[in-house]
Amino acid sequence: MSTIEDVEVLITNPGRNFVTLRITTSDGVTGLGDATLNGRELAVASYLRDHVAPILTGRDSSSIEDTWQYLYRGAYWRRGPVTMASIAAVDMALWDIKGKVAGLPVYQLLGGAVRRGLLAYGHASGAETPQIFDSIRAHLEEGYRAVRVQTAVPGLGQVYGVAAAGASGSGRYDYEPARPGARPTEEQWDTRAYMRHLPSVFEAVRGEFGPDLPLLHDGHHRMTPNQAGRLGRDLEPYDLFWLEDCTPAENQQGLRRVRELTTQPLAIGEIFNTVWDYQTLITEQLIDYVRSAVTHTGGITHLKKIMDFASLYQIKSGFHGPTDISPVGQAAALHLGLAIHNFGIQEYMRHTDDTLEVFHTSYSFEDGLLHPGDTPGLGVEYDDAAGTSHEYSPAYLPVNRLVDGTMHDW
Ligand code: EZ4
Ligand code: CO
């Protein structure tokens, strides 16, 4: 029996912080898992280093399901982003190991490919319509066949999803909401101003790019269900692929109201941790797309179960894939997406060159489609020398305040 011999937590910051778990077996096979939780990185690192690593050593490295249950049920304290990102990292690393031992890419272990590649969407944004058009054109030239569109709002400063000119230095990030520093930056928010402005942007974009291009938009948890229903209705003429996080969804029943008001396809779940966060949304068909990342939802094992459950209700995947998911987490999403029947779309933006020097990937992006590649396991290798040359430094997602100073969902 091959056992788990070494469990290492690797922290690097090639422009942004990433936490990676590396498991080495008694046979010398290594597996990688992504444990990056944007703005709370060190909490996951401690959970893994102080509480998971000591109880993993000596266990059978081939027992993925049993290890998952051991960590989930064994902690007694279930769920939550720190716990579930930690379990996800172990799960990914064990799938990586199983693939390497079998000599097969992970998607083959999950049942094999059911499509040639995964339709990806990129992130276009801009302060004004001309910049938005330029950003969409740039994405189309890079091969994207679907684009998310985020816009500034007249009267407000920097808002979520709009690339801050010059803010990301020489890196290739289209946008990066986490800002280096000891405290979060503050942004200003006005939901009515946003709701007034957004439909005019989509009208302009449809006018310029025609009816065919799939367009997406992220409401980022800022509306009430009533407001979300109204915005969804106002956007219906522009035939969006999805409206994401139209309202905070801890109260899953709130989506019933949105569904009463609009036929707008809805995507939710990037901040969810387990299938229980989706139970009402899925069984009542209150969403169309599952937004979870493998990294934040307990790994491949758990997200596969969520997707099989969702498939009973004609709900598809739209896995979270911003650059705060490391290349390891992104690779895991690609293997899973290639193997499930109810794949919908995959979020994708290229990591910076510095990041890709730490994480050597084998996935590809061609003609708008992503493919995980055929390297055994997840297909990502970690370069220790490159990794240790970038030290952790604090960075936080911004917070939002209304004009009168009240804290609002960011
Ligand atoms: O704000 O990944 O759809 N994408 C998003 C992201 C999240 C960040 C948080 O770390 O909402 O941009
Ligand atoms: Co989002």
Side-chain angles (χ1 to χ4, degrees):
M1 177 175 89
S2 163
T3 57
I4 295 174
E5 195 162 277
D6 198 17
V7 181
E8 299 162 275
V9 178
L10 311 165
I11 303 176
T12 185
N13 184 350
R16 64 155 311 100
N17 295 306
F18 292 110
V19 179
T20 308
L21 187 74
R22 180 164 58 201
I23 293 179
T24 306
T25 70
S26 51
D27 294 333
V29 182
T30 60
L32 297 177
D34 179 23
T36 308
L37 187 62
N38 206 359
R40 294 293 184 272
E41 295 87 358
L42 300 184
V44 185
S46 163
Y47 192 108
L48 284 167
R49 196 181 274 148
D50 299 331
H51 301 293
V52 172
I55 62 174
L56 277 188
T57 47
R59 293 181 56 85
D60 181 352
S61 61
S62 71
S63 295
I64 300 177
E65 177 71 26
D66 185 64
T67 299
W68 195 97
Q69 301 295 343
Y70 182 69
L71 294 175
Y72 182 79
R73 293 172 202 284
Y76 185 65
W77 311 105
R78 298 177 188 203
R79 307 166 63 183
V82 175
T83 298
M84 297 309 289
S86 303
I87 295 176
V90 174
D91 185 79
M92 272 182 243
L94 294 182
W95 279 106
D96 194 18
I97 288 167
K98 196 177 278 295
K100 286 181 181 174
V101 169
L104 292 170
V106 166
Y107 76 82
Q108 291 290 7
L109 305 180
L110 298 173
V114 289
R115 56 188 55 80
R116 279 190 299 117
L118 306 176
L119 177 67
Y121 75 87
H123 283 225
S125 70
E128 310 269 349
T129 312
Q131 289 102 301
I132 295 173
F133 286 2
D134 287 349
S135 177
I136 295 174
R137 271 187 213 106
H139 280 82
L140 297 178
E141 276 160 27
E142 284 171 40
Y144 282 99
R145 290 194 214 148
V147 246
R148 187 184 92 155
V149 177
Q150 303 294 130
T151 173
V153 177
L156 301 181
Q158 175 69 38
V159 297
Y160 167 76
V162 180
S168 50
S170 59
R172 162 63 185 70
Y173 292 132
D174 295 306
Y175 90 123
E176 175 52 71
R179 299 263 183 278
R183 291 167 197 272
T185 56
E186 303 209 348
E187 297 179 351
Q188 203 182 50
W189 187 247
D190 179 339
T191 305
R192 287 184 66 230
Y194 160 75
M195 288 176 61
R196 269 199 308 276
H197 182 60
L198 191 67
S200 70
V201 171
F202 278 97
E203 177 162 88
V205 169
R206 271 285 173 240
E208 179 73 11
F209 294 93
D212 203 34
L213 179 65
L215 297 174
L216 300 82
H217 180 73
D218 192 344
H220 224 260
H221 325 268
R222 287 162 189 211
M223 289 168 279
T224 64
N226 238 9
Q227 290 172 327
R230 153 90 184 282
L231 183 72
R233 216 161 52 189
D234 291 350
L235 292 173
E236 280 175 21
Y238 315 114
D239 191 23
L240 265 58
F241 185 95
W242 80 32
L243 173 63
E244 176 184 345
D245 285 331
C246 61
T247 189
E250 289 100 324
N251 175 22
Q252 298 179 45
Q253 290 89 332
L255 273 295
R256 291 179 189 151
R257 178 67 182 144
V258 185
R259 283 295 212 209
E260 275 166 24
L261 293 169
T262 180
T263 60
Q264 172 61 58
L266 302 173
I268 287 187
E270 71 186 35
I271 66 168
F272 287 176
N273 315 130
T274 71
V275 69
W276 303 105
D277 298 321
Y278 283 104
Q279 189 176 18
T280 302
L281 295 180
I282 290 178
T283 55
E284 297 187 22
Q285 292 183 251
L286 300 178
I287 55 169
D288 301 278
Y289 295 94
V290 163
R291 274 295 278 153
S292 279
V294 177
T295 306
H296 300 140
T297 322
I300 292 170
T301 297
H302 194 62
L303 190 48
K304 170 86 162 67
K305 289 180 186 179
I306 294 175
M307 291 318 303
D308 289 343
F309 178 40
S311 76
L312 305 182
Y313 300 89
Q314 294 172 286
I315 297 169
K316 296 183 177 183
S317 69
F319 297 149
H320 200 207
T323 39
D324 48 274
I325 301 296
S326 90
V328 178
Q330 182 72 5
L334 302 185
H335 285 279
L336 182 56
L338 198 66
I340 56 173
H341 179 251
N342 54 334
F343 169 81
I345 199 166
Q346 174 64 51
E347 180 178 15
Y348 173 65
M349 58 184 90
R350 193 176 176 277
H351 284 94
T352 60
D353 291 341
D354 281 353
T355 299
L356 295 172
E357 276 170 25
V358 178
F359 299 91
H360 301 175
T361 60
S362 42
Y363 52 76
S364 61
F365 177 58
E366 259 172 62
D367 296 329
L369 300 183
L370 289 156
H371 193 285
D374 283 302
T375 308
L378 292 174
V380 182
E381 290 303 321
Y382 191 90
D383 184 321
D384 280 282
T388 48
S389 71
H390 305 286
E391 267 183 35
Y392 168 83
S393 78
Y396 289 98
L397 292 167
V399 297
N400 246 347
R401 286 190 193 278
L402 302 179
V403 181
D404 70 358
T406 309
M407 286 286 304
H408 190 70
D409 299 288
W410 177 75

